[in-house]
Amino acid sequence: MTLTDFQHLLPLLILTFAVLVSMLVIAVGRNHKIMYVITAVSFLAAFASLFELRDVGRYTIEPLLVIDGFGVFYIGMILLTALLISMLSYAYFEQREERKEEYYILLLLATIGACMLVVSKHFASLFLGLEILSVSLYALIAYLRTRERSDEAGIKYLILAAFSSAFLLFGMALVYASTGAMEFAGIATAIAGFTELPLLLLTGFGMMIVGIGFKLSVVPFHMWAPDVYEGAPAPVTAFIATVSKGGVLGVLIRFFMEVDGFRYPTLVLIFTIVAIASMLAGNLLALLQRNVKRILAYSSIAHLGYLLVAFLAGNEMGVEAVTFYLVAYFITTVGAFGVVAMLSDTERDAEQLEDYRALLWRRPWTAAVFTAMLLSLAGIPLTAGFVGKFYILAAGVNTQLWLLVVMLALNSVIGLFYYIRIIAVMFQQPEADTAIQPRSRLRPSIYLASVGTLTVLALLLLYIGVYPSGLLQVIQGMLATATP
């Protein structure tokens, strides 16, 4: 590797160095605040290093990685989201007695895995990034081992990830057997002359889609996803719903755009069925839940179905729509789970609907922020979620995906019900004999920091909803230099 290669890998190298420093610091002495500062500073430093790469064009580090505008934007999005989650995590873990320091090492490692995914151009780097991400998440999900359902959630994710890896590896082996290549560009060259995919190659692609489907928790690979969301600590749940899925979706876009998988009707049909099933099952099952984390889990399944509509457009507008919607979804989901984390106490997370009853009268600003996040998830105007959903609809209409567009519109109406139900519970009048007391007992400084983080997210949500053109121009400028 050359010095230029190292310069282009600087964000990943900074995070790797932070992991090593963190382990040495823990060996010397445990201090929660120092570990948090190291983590936050490393995320900021890695993000700052991206500014040197903003005009990179397309730089390949043979044979595994490619650094381009697409990868740089997605890495930046992942790093900022991980930074916000680390800020929420500090307040969340500060009130707990468990050992907290190793959590930040795992968070850094999982972020490295997600960043590696979005710049992968080879099956080896894809699988390496996926495993770094997954193995870190096993421990993060079961981190609070004394809590009910924590171990169960970790074991369930372990089994899901094992199935995912098995299908993905078997699919990669079949693709390699058919094409003789493991680089995305080599596979694209090998299948360029095919109008229909051979059975062996189609089976390989199908098994890879199954493996990716488990990671994205789309239907029918979603069965234990709500259990994992429910059992994991609230900040970890936010990480799974955003950074983990964003990294996997990034490499999926890069691979299918590179091999032009959208010209094969069988693959398009598979993704169409998955998108429709995810939208329907996610929204309908969310209607039956009274656990807020499970509602947000099923909502996440439905939103992945929405994202697949733009993904299936298979053109530049589709990639822009997916990217814009991911930004809106990341902000909204981190904000929603941030509220859950802030209201949680040492015994359990604030996950039952009853925990939010009359929240407006206990914590008006927190209730207002949560309302903004839920309205954005529902796609109400003046929020980032509305603009993102509109952009996805435009991408679907532009490529005449009428069935998917109609299903997206219908499911958005269904989804509105369970978001409004949570808002209605928060806005209820408190009972006359009930003392209005907050659930958690955070120190004032930590509480104010959490409120500040959520306020920034809410303002960002509204700003993008009212003035989306700035973000759109950044996305278009970054993607213009890339050929995912």
Side-chain angles (χ1 to χ4, degrees):
M1 291 182 67
T2 65
L3 180 60
T4 310
D5 292 342
F6 282 107
Q7 289 173 344
H8 284 81
L9 289 176
L10 194 56
L12 295 175
L13 294 175
I14 289 172
L15 296 182
T16 305
F17 181 72
V19 170
L20 298 175
V21 170
S22 299
M23 287 192 286
L24 291 173
V25 169
I26 291 175
V28 172
R30 291 181 172 274
N31 188 302
H32 184 210
K33 184 176 289 186
I34 290 176
M35 286 300 300
Y36 162 66
V37 169
I38 291 171
T39 305
V41 169
S42 66
F43 284 139
L44 284 171
F47 182 77
S49 70
L50 291 175
F51 286 94
E52 294 297 320
L53 305 176
R54 63 186 183 275
D55 300 320
V56 69
R58 182 180 174 90
Y59 185 85
T60 58
I61 301 173
E62 296 295 348
L64 300 178
L65 305 174
V66 55
I67 311 297
D68 56 10
F70 178 86
V72 169
F73 185 88
Y74 272 69
I75 288 176
M77 185 167 60
I78 287 168
L79 290 173
L80 285 180
T81 306
L83 173 64
L84 290 167
I85 290 171
S86 71
M87 294 166 70
L88 296 171
S89 299
Y90 178 70
Y92 181 85
F93 282 100
E94 183 65 15
Q95 59 181 332
R96 285 162 176 76
E97 296 180 0
E98 293 93 346
R99 289 186 168 182
K100 319 165 182 84
E101 290 78 12
E102 288 84 358
Y103 170 85
Y104 295 96
I105 296 176
L106 294 166
L107 189 67
L108 285 164
L109 285 170
T111 306
I112 291 170
C115 291
M116 181 176 286
L117 280 175
V118 298
V119 293
S120 293
K121 72 180 191 76
H122 193 284
F123 282 165
S125 54
L126 188 162
F127 189 72
L128 183 62
L130 202 61
E131 287 306 295
I132 294 172
L133 173 63
S134 299
V135 173
S136 304
L137 285 176
Y138 303 156
L140 284 171
I141 290 166
Y143 197 81
L144 300 176
R145 293 195 59 229
T146 57
R147 182 183 291 184
E148 184 185 4
R149 297 190 304 275
S150 181
D151 283 349
E152 177 192 345
I155 292 170
K156 283 182 173 179
Y157 189 82
L158 172 64
I159 295 170
L160 285 176
F163 270 104
S164 171
S165 298
F167 275 103
L168 193 64
L169 275 178
F170 206 142
M172 288 176 180
L174 294 179
V175 172
Y176 179 66
S178 301
T179 62
M182 287 197 289
E183 281 193 66
F184 298 170
I187 296 168
T189 303
I191 68 173
F194 296 153
T195 53
E196 287 291 335
L197 293 174
L199 181 60
L200 187 64
L201 186 57
L202 181 60
T203 307
F205 279 139
M207 295 188 79
M208 288 183 66
I209 291 170
V210 170
I212 294 294
F214 275 114
K215 290 297 181 186
L216 294 176
S217 300
V218 290
V219 176
F221 317 110
H222 69 292
M223 296 306 295
W224 281 345
D227 298 337
V228 172
Y229 277 56
E230 185 181 3
V236 177
T237 309
F239 189 92
I240 298 168
T242 54
V243 172
S244 173
K245 292 187 178 182
V248 174
L249 197 60
V251 75
L252 179 67
I253 292 170
R254 185 182 292 280
F255 178 70
F256 267 82
M257 293 296 284
E258 188 85 48
V259 304
D260 196 15
F262 305 101
R263 61 192 176 96
Y264 301 109
T266 308
L267 296 180
V268 172
L269 178 62
I270 292 171
F271 277 110
T272 301
I273 293 170
V274 168
I276 293 173
S278 298
M279 287 187 276
L280 280 172
N283 284 309
L284 292 176
L285 290 171
L287 294 174
L288 308 176
Q289 307 301 317
R290 295 194 63 79
N291 182 299
V292 172
K293 286 171 81 174
R294 293 182 73 88
I295 289 173
L296 292 174
Y298 283 115
S299 164
S300 174
I301 294 168
H303 282 278
L304 263 293
Y306 302 156
L307 281 164
L308 288 178
V309 176
F311 170 74
L312 282 166
N315 55 22
E316 185 179 339
M317 184 180 183
V319 176
E320 290 173 5
V322 170
T323 305
F324 187 95
Y325 195 84
L326 269 181
V327 173
Y329 171 74
F330 276 29
I331 294 170
T332 307
T333 305
V334 171
F337 282 110
V339 171
V340 174
M342 193 172 74
L343 295 177
S344 301
D345 57 26
T346 56
E347 301 297 324
R348 64 181 181 87
D349 285 352
E351 58 189 32
Q352 300 298 327
L353 270 179
E354 285 301 313
D355 297 327
Y356 296 85
R357 192 170 300 281
L359 182 65
L360 179 67
W361 313 104
R362 289 185 281 134
R363 290 183 172 175
W365 184 243
T366 306
V369 170
F370 200 23
T371 299
M373 300 301 166
L374 293 171
L375 292 177
S376 180
L377 286 170
I380 300 300
L382 301 183
T383 64
F386 170 76
V387 181
K389 201 165 285 186
F390 180 83
Y391 206 0
I392 284 180
L393 282 169
V397 169
N398 187 52
T399 46
Q400 300 182 349
L401 301 173
W402 301 115
L403 176 61
L404 288 169
V405 167
V406 170
M407 293 305 298
L408 192 157
L410 289 174
N411 278 279
S412 295
V413 176
I414 298 172
L416 189 60
F417 175 81
Y418 55 82
Y419 296 126
I420 295 296
R421 183 173 64 178
I422 300 174
I423 295 171
V425 169
M426 289 193 294
F427 280 58
Q428 283 182 359
Q429 290 283 347
E431 297 179 7
D433 57 347
T434 303
I436 299 177
Q437 294 291 336
R439 270 181 48 82
S440 60
R441 302 288 184 182
L442 292 173
R443 293 204 306 269
S445 59
I446 297 176
Y447 174 75
L448 288 174
S450 298
V451 169
T453 304
L454 293 175
T455 302
V456 169
L457 286 168
L459 293 175
L460 199 55
L461 190 78
L462 295 173
Y463 178 80
I464 295 174
V466 177
Y467 299 106
S469 58
L471 177 60
L472 277 173
Q473 287 173 2
V474 173
I475 292 172
Q476 289 168 352
M478 296 300 289
L479 300 187
T481 62
T483 50

